[in-house]
Amino acid sequence: MLAEVPHPDTDPAAVAVRDLEETSIADDVQTLSWMGLLEVRGERLAITPHGRAAHFEAECAALSARLVEVHVFADHLQRRTPSIGTELHALRQLADGSWSVTEAVAYVERRGH
């Protein structure tokens, strides 16, 4: 939720549409406001700059964890199928952020010939 939304007290349908917990939404709004992540603007809720930063930090952490899983999976595949080691090395370098897609493809092409 990065855009303003109706306050749940004034628009209960907004809570239902977003599949939020009706029983805890008031406490959640109060807590997030107290933490400086959300602010109440009349009958609307808005995420603060601090809230945006926390959102993107959490998203970045989740994506980083996913890339670690890709790396671990590539290790597993290489143990099972050593013949695709070149491709999996390129995949790990890409997942680590060490190489771009272009560099990974070029590496596989060079090693494949």
Side-chain angles (χ1 to χ4, degrees), residues 5-15 25-26 29-30 33 39-45:
V5 296
H7 194 290
D9 289 345
T10 61
D11 188 357
V15 174
I25 193 72
V29 168
Q30 184 177 6
S33 295
E39 63 183 20
V40 178
R41 295 181 181 166
E43 295 184 353
R44 306 205 45 89
L45 300 177

Side-chain angles (χ1 to χ4, degrees), residues 70-91:
V70 169
H71 196 288
V72 169
F73 185 62
D75 288 344
H76 173 76
L77 289 176
Q78 188 165 2
R79 284 191 299 279
R80 289 181 53 111
T81 316
S83 62
I84 60 171
T86 297
E87 291 85 351
L88 294 173
H89 175 72
L91 177 63

